[in-house]
Amino acid sequence: MTLTDDEVYRLTTEQLQVKDYPSYFQKNVMGDPMMRMHLARISIQPGEGYFREMYALNYAFDPTGSLDDYNHLDERERGVLPSKLLFNLNREFEWGRTWFWPLQQRYFESQDGKRFSRNNAMASASAFMEYHQPGENDLLQEYFIPVDAFPAFVQEMGEIVSQEQLDLLNITVRYVKHDEEAVLSYATQDMFGLVCLFHTSLSDPEQGKFKESMQQLIDAVLRYNGTYYLPYAGYATLEQFEQAYPRKNEFLAAKEKFDPDHLFMNYFMEQYGGNRP
């Protein structure tokens, strides 16, 4: 790991359709040598735009901006209370979701053309998402889909979320370059990562239903030769894990060698069951 110099970025935002996103990304992000950062949001608003509309946020290097004018780090997040109220409405009510996407769109558009230092751009707001309700929680899951398969997967994902009545709060899309240095690599080719924030009850019956729904989503991921992020809550079956990570025996054998007390093995079997390799 190495440090990167701070620099000035200019943000541009653009609304587009999910079906056009792979070509948009190739042309406007990968094809622009000045582009430094990029992320996108998918609409989960009920209606015509559901899992069809997106917003792209592009951070391009701006050599005309002086770093001294933008490198002061923001120590406090602004507008936390109203943002928290709006996100709670998004969390608890379907009509809250109907309102939340248009508000996000207005916010994105208000940021268009603004300059940021790299450090401030990386320090994204998060305090408004804090949640402390007993018996419930927001849980992250992340899925990695090959670039060309992205539109078809997103359409199927939307159908599953609707059929299973999942309380999905937000989807952020990021690009993940092919990298198989790790034995348990999730980037087996160039991928789009979908970072999904779900709200769910933690009761045993509701968690059982939620786990089944997550397994349906993972089945869809695997049909498109995708993977899922291991460090989050382990909802996958052992069979799904083995399909997503075919080098798992190589990894577990190395853990057996370097972890003679089987600390990892005990955790693995608690999560997935089965025998050691």
Side-chain angles (χ1 to χ4, degrees), residues 242-256:
E242 291 176 335
Q243 186 174 345
Y245 294 94
R247 297 176 66 189
K248 63 100 176 177
N249 283 343
E250 179 183 346
F251 175 79
L252 293 177
K255 289 297 292 184
E256 184 80 15

Side-chain angles (χ1 to χ4, degrees), residues 82-93:
S83 297
K84 182 181 285 287
L85 173 61
L86 291 170
F87 201 70
N88 276 336
L89 293 176
N90 176 53
R91 182 184 280 121
E92 300 293 341
F93 305 104

Side-chain angles (χ1 to χ4, degrees), residues 109-126:
E109 291 166 0
S110 74
Q111 299 298 296
D112 189 78
K114 287 191 175 182
R115 289 187 175 113
F116 302 85
S117 70
R118 176 186 173 88
N119 286 341
N120 278 315
M122 292 290 289
S124 59
S126 60

Side-chain angles (χ1 to χ4, degrees), residues 12-21 24 28 38-45 48-58 101-106 108-109 112:
T12 58
T13 66
E14 189 166 350
Q15 187 174 7
L16 65 152
Q17 297 291 307
V18 166
K19 64 182 177 62
D20 300 323
Y21 184 62
Y24 172 89
N28 296 281
H38 167 88
L39 59 86
R41 310 275 192 205
I42 297 175
S43 172
I44 56 173
Q45 177 189 17
E48 292 184 2
Y50 177 77
F51 278 83
R52 289 184 174 86
E53 293 181 356
M54 297 183 68
Y55 246 93
L57 289 81
N58 302 312
W101 178 248
L103 290 172
Q104 280 188 302
Q105 290 177 300
R106 291 180 187 176
F108 296 150
E109 291 166 0
D112 189 78

